[in-house]
Amino acid sequence: MNDKPSQISREQGLQWLQDMLRIRRMEEKCAELYGEEKIRGFLHLYIGEEAVAAGVIPELAAEDAVVATYREHGHALVRGISMNAILAEMFGKQEGCSRGRGGSMHLFDAKTHFYGGNAIVSGGLPLAIGLALADKMQNRPGVTACFFGEGAVAEGEFHESLNLAALWQLPVLFVCENNLYAMGTALARSESVTDIHRKAESYGIDSTAVDGMDVMSVNTAARNALEKIRTQQVPVFLEMRTYRFRAHSMFDPELYREKAEVEQWKQLCPIATLSARLKAQQVIEDGDVAALEQATGEEIQAAVAFAEAGQWEPVEDLLKYVYTDSAQNTGQSGST
Amino acid sequence: MNITYREAMRAALRESLKQDERVFLMGEDVGRYGGCYAVSKGLLDEFGEERIRDTPLSESAFVGAGIGAALGGMRPIVEVMTVNFSLLCLDQIVNTAATLRHMSGGQFSVPVVLRMTTGAGRQLAAQHSHSLECWYAHVPGLRVIAPATLEDMRGMLRIALDDPDPVIIFEHNALYNREGELAEDVTVSEIRRAAVRRAGSDISLIAYGGNLIKALEAADELAKSGIAAEVIDLRSLRPLDDATILASVRKTRRAVLIDEGWCSGSLAAEIGMRISEQAFYDLDAPLARVCTAEVPIPYPGHLEQAALPQVATIVNKARELLGQNV
Ligand SMILES: Cc1ncc(C[n+]2csc(CCOP(=O)(O)OP(=O)(O)O)c2C)c(N)n1
């Protein structure tokens, strides 16, 4: 693990706090809205893991691509998809970033090169390989950042993709968010080797384990990794050691882990620890945090109102967005 | 010009690679080996390793990479040796390629072309002989085509590459060695439309891919006993061209559906149902099917042939529907 560097600038500190707070408060609101049945389907919260998205994504350039999983609200938000569009998507409204067709697990955004939102564990890895290959073949400077959980490591696609990335020397940043549980399956119950970054090493990929609860460590690792990827055109693998404070999804009664364990990890809350450190170093004051909270609360309120006011897509449009030329859609319906 | 189906596809590949820098071919053994059906033989020397890209045995990763590369602005042609092996990348095709456009609310198209061989007849036994194209034809978001003539083999690739959505081309392995005359200037008008390959008034034989040849032979045979069979080549398995199928059936009032897939849940079943829904009262006889027997394709030649649609079976079915003694 990296050592925790000491001094953080005020500007940088506030930015991280803001990014993490926006994710945390937005998702807390989502949980509430889920209870009110405004948001339906599966909802996977990122709470506890915010340091990873906040530490990695701002280091990406505008032309870089992001591939994420079904636990992607935080990635989408930090990447620059508006909270309005994210909430509207979860409501299923056509103002959502995927026109309401994707929902919580399938946030997409062409403008920010955000390629999902993928509810197939490990399904995004081959996609990331291809996006990086396209950059390389067209001599574009882009890097593809691919986020996935440690559960994906058990899938064949993980190994196939790492092999290809190393074999073809592709500019991919693999970010494994190791939160120790795949739904209810603890890492040690599913992997013969639990030191995940060693698996990447076995493919000849530069790989590091990082304290994923500390945004500064995450950020330093990401910056170093991206520099290496950009200058040497090779993949790099980061294993972020993190933890989700909430259940896997809203349907999960969490019977597989001790409350005490969760409480212990909560002591490492990335927002609280950063805030405390910045205050101890007298870089920020209580008033700064209060101001951030205030602004975030207002943003959320506005986003909920935006989502509420959003429109349901007309049912007549049901067959749209299957093929590019929507006139072709009628082709497979026999009786109409 | 006398040419094989294999050469026709190779010519199509070469032309696409020449015309468009974004096009590249990727798959297992497409490069140094020359393609396991020798389709891409020689292309590596001509276009180099970047564009004739050998992949490891990783169907899911390289098909997924093709999808990603298509998203990234390339025009990949991904060769999956046979439809049998495509089951290892079914996830990428069905859950990713077919869904991205819809789930992104229309923001991302996936212009990838997947080529795979299909079909039996070479005594390769069950794991190399199945015809699963109807599984893909089941999926909205995919376009599925099957060339059955030299002209289509030559022309369909270009049209597939121009399509902004994922296209799967099924090449029946029994076709590659067939030779024929190919018109100098090939223009495939419309892959979306089925084609009437032979006009007739007594019965419609509806087929696609490798089985079109058998349907045409059956029509020749039927002609000897005075039966004028119309032969329809589907060409596109998704979407299906209902209009051409129905126009033919309304004219002939009888149909035999020929499909190398298993009878249960086959494309033939789908087409039969569409005819029932839309042209039931135009029919003079029950619909009939000639499909593959409900068995994994056996290795011994005689059993394999017994399992597959055959010209004689098609002829007998047609005669039966016309009330002729068989
Ligand atoms: C291929 C596949 N198998 C199973 C599932 C069901 N499933 C959804 S999330 C999940 C656990 C994944 O855990 P991990 O990759 O560690 O990510 P995390 O949820 O911890 O972020 C499983 C098994 C799935 N979505 N896809």
Side-chain angles (χ1 to χ4, degrees):
Chain A
M1 303 243 186
N2 324 25
D3 357 53
K4 293 190 178 59
S6 44
Q7 202 57 36
I8 303 172
S9 77
R10 175 176 160 83
E11 194 194 2
Q12 177 67 87
L14 283 174
Q15 185 61 54
W16 283 336
L17 270 184
Q18 184 183 33
D19 282 346
M20 294 195 289
L21 268 175
R22 286 176 75 225
I23 301 174
R24 170 93 37 116
R25 299 290 177 250
M26 177 181 81
E27 289 208 317
E28 286 166 350
K29 187 69 187 175
C30 288
E32 227 179 281
L33 291 163
Y34 197 85
E36 294 167 21
E37 302 196 350
K38 299 282 187 190
I39 297 176
R40 312 302 302 268
F42 279 134
L43 179 70
H44 308 87
L45 302 181
Y46 194 56
I47 290 173
E49 307 185 33
E50 296 92 343
V52 181
V56 174
I57 292 178
E59 295 303 323
L60 299 172
E63 72 267 19
D64 293 341
V66 179
V67 175
T69 68
Y70 45 85
R71 200 183 296 287
E72 86 283 30
H73 310 150
H75 309 89
L77 194 63
V78 179
R79 184 56 178 169
I81 307 182
S82 74
M83 200 183 281
N84 285 0
I86 292 173
L87 275 189
E89 186 60 35
M90 290 197 230
F91 275 54
K93 300 288 180 73
Q94 65 181 3
E95 290 78 5
C97 60
S98 308
R99 278 193 73 80
R101 298 248 171 168
S104 158
M105 302 192 289
H106 306 294
L107 305 179
F108 285 91
D109 184 48
K111 277 195 301 297
T112 56
H113 299 212
F114 197 82
Y115 293 94
N118 195 324
I120 305 296
V121 171
S122 177
L125 280 100
L127 205 66
I129 299 301
L131 284 161
L133 180 63
D135 278 337
K136 188 172 173 133
M137 290 184 78
Q138 293 169 102
N139 293 315
R140 289 188 308 227
V143 170
T144 300
C146 180
F147 294 85
F148 52 91
E150 86 291 344
V153 171
E155 294 278 4
E157 277 180 335
F158 169 86
H159 298 274
E160 293 187 23
S161 299
L162 259 59
N163 181 48
L164 274 188
L167 186 72
W168 291 347
Q169 300 280 282
L170 298 176
V172 183
L173 175 62
F174 292 101
V175 185
C176 177
E177 303 184 313
N178 179 4
N179 61 16
L180 296 174
Y181 293 90
M183 288 182 64
T185 303
L187 181 56
R189 293 171 58 83
S190 63
E191 285 294 310
S192 55
V193 173
T194 53
D195 217 357
I196 286 168
H197 74 286
R198 284 182 50 202
K199 294 177 195 281
E201 273 168 18
S202 79
Y203 291 99
I205 296 176
D206 184 340
S207 172
T208 322
V210 182
D211 176 359
M213 303 304 279
D214 177 59
V215 67
M216 180 125 196
S217 305
V218 170
N219 183 256
T220 306
R223 214 165 335 131
N224 292 340
L226 285 165
E227 187 182 321
K228 177 158 181 157
I229 297 170
R230 292 191 203 288
T231 53
Q232 299 176 31
Q233 285 287 302
V234 291
V236 173
F237 190 101
L238 298 178
E239 177 194 342
M240 301 294 180
R241 298 198 167 156
T242 182
Y243 200 81
R244 62 171 158 72
F245 297 167
R246 299 285 186 116
H248 166 71
S249 74
M250 302 305 282
F251 291 117
D252 167 15
E254 273 196 278
L255 304 174
Y256 48 83
R257 61 184 189 185
E258 299 293 333
K259 292 224 161 34
E261 181 187 291
V262 182
E263 288 311 313
Q264 220 176 338
W265 276 90
K266 281 187 178 170
Q267 303 306 307
L268 302 174
C269 169
I271 300 177
T273 52
L274 177 66
S275 168
R277 197 188 322 164
L278 294 173
K279 281 182 206 162
Q281 292 174 355
Q282 295 183 327
V283 174
I284 64 166
E285 304 163 2
D286 286 343
D288 292 316
V289 180
L292 283 180
E293 290 278 16
Q294 169 87 20
T296 305
E298 283 164 15
E299 186 185 11
I300 290 169
Q301 224 177 353
V304 174
F306 177 84
E308 286 281 8
Q311 301 296 304
W312 302 114
E313 199 178 351
V315 173
E316 300 82 75
D317 289 354
L318 175 66
L319 296 184
K320 277 192 175 174
Y321 316 117
V322 179
Y323 296 98
T324 303
D325 171 3
S326 57
Q328 296 161 23
N329 273 336
T330 50
Q332 206 70 6
S333 66
S335 49
T336 49
Chain B
M1 182 177 39
N2 220 46
I3 187 174
T4 62
Y5 278 71
R6 170 183 294 110
E7 287 158 352
M9 178 49 85
R10 187 183 304 142
L13 285 167
R14 179 181 290 122
E15 180 186 74
S16 303
L17 285 153
K18 272 194 182 144
Q19 277 179 0
D20 187 344
E21 288 223 317
R22 300 169 306 170
V23 172
F24 67 103
L25 175 70
M26 163 162 72
E28 290 158 5
D29 286 314
V30 297
R32 301 229 171 265
Y33 189 86
C36 80
Y37 287 94
V39 172
S40 49
K41 202 165 167 200
L43 295 183
L44 176 67
D45 290 337
E46 202 173 335
F47 296 99
E49 288 185 356
E50 272 279 296
R51 301 185 68 200
I52 307 296
R53 186 172 283 265
D54 278 319
T55 63
L57 295 159
S58 300
E59 283 79 4
S60 202
F62 73 72
V63 168
I67 295 164
L71 279 171
M74 301 297 286
R75 286 291 178 279
I77 303 169
V78 185
E79 179 178 309
V80 180
M81 282 185 184
T82 88
V83 67
N84 305 272
F85 310 153
S86 79
L87 303 199
L88 280 85
C89 49
L90 203 53
D91 167 61
Q92 287 295 326
I93 300 172
V94 177
N95 284 323
T96 303
T99 60
L100 275 192
R101 183 166 175 78
H102 178 82
M103 294 197 311
S104 67
Q107 292 180 84
F108 295 115
S109 296
V110 182
V112 70
V113 175
L114 307 175
R115 292 178 44 235
M116 22 183 130
T117 58
T118 184
R122 292 156 39 101
Q123 284 200 258
L124 301 178
Q127 290 177 336
H128 285 69
S129 304
H130 290 154
S131 292
L132 304 174
E133 43 278 14
C134 93
W135 292 9
Y136 293 99
H138 182 63
V139 182
L142 302 178
R143 175 179 302 288
V144 180
I145 56 182
T149 64
L150 271 174
E151 285 73 22
D152 281 1
M153 200 75 152
R154 178 75 176 78
M156 275 187 182
L157 182 68
R158 183 70 252 162
I159 292 164
L161 281 166
D162 285 343
D163 197 310
D165 299 313
V167 179
I168 309 182
I169 306 181
F170 282 102
E171 300 162 24
H172 197 292
N173 69 53
L175 290 176
Y176 287 133
N177 283 332
R178 288 183 71 90
E179 269 188 18
E181 276 297 314
L182 176 70
E184 279 295 325
D185 185 21
V186 193
T187 42
V188 178
S189 49
E190 255 287 20
I191 49 170
R192 277 166 216 158
R193 299 249 78 89
V196 181
R197 297 296 184 197
R198 176 185 177 125
S201 52
D202 296 329
I203 188 163
S204 301
L205 306 181
I206 301 170
Y208 68 90
N211 288 277
L212 176 71
I213 314 290
K214 292 179 180 174
L216 287 167
E217 281 175 31
D220 283 342
E221 192 62 32
L222 288 165
K224 290 181 196 158
S225 45
I227 298 172
E230 177 147 297
V231 180
I232 303 292
D233 173 5
L234 293 173
R235 299 165 104 204
S236 167
L237 311 184
R238 182 179 194 98
L240 283 167
D241 174 8
D242 287 11
T244 304
I245 296 169
L246 291 167
S248 175
V249 173
R250 290 201 169 107
K251 179 171 70 166
T252 63
R253 310 179 82 85
R254 294 170 190 85
V256 181
L257 315 168
I258 300 126
D259 180 355
E260 205 173 308
W262 292 295
C263 212
S264 306
S266 58
L267 211 56
E270 173 62 28
I271 295 165
M273 193 62 205
R274 286 177 188 225
I275 296 171
S276 307
E277 283 171 337
Q278 299 172 75
F280 185 77
Y281 295 108
D282 296 314
L283 294 175
D284 280 349
L287 298 166
R289 286 190 273 178
V290 178
C291 294
T292 288
E294 306 276 321
V295 60
I297 304 289
Y299 163 67
H302 68 296
L303 291 182
E304 181 181 44
Q305 290 306 318
L308 297 176
Q310 298 296 351
V311 175
T313 335
I314 302 168
V315 169
N316 289 342
K317 273 277 184 240
R319 288 206 173 120
E320 224 176 279
L321 295 191
L322 281 152
Q324 288 195 357
N325 282 340
V326 178

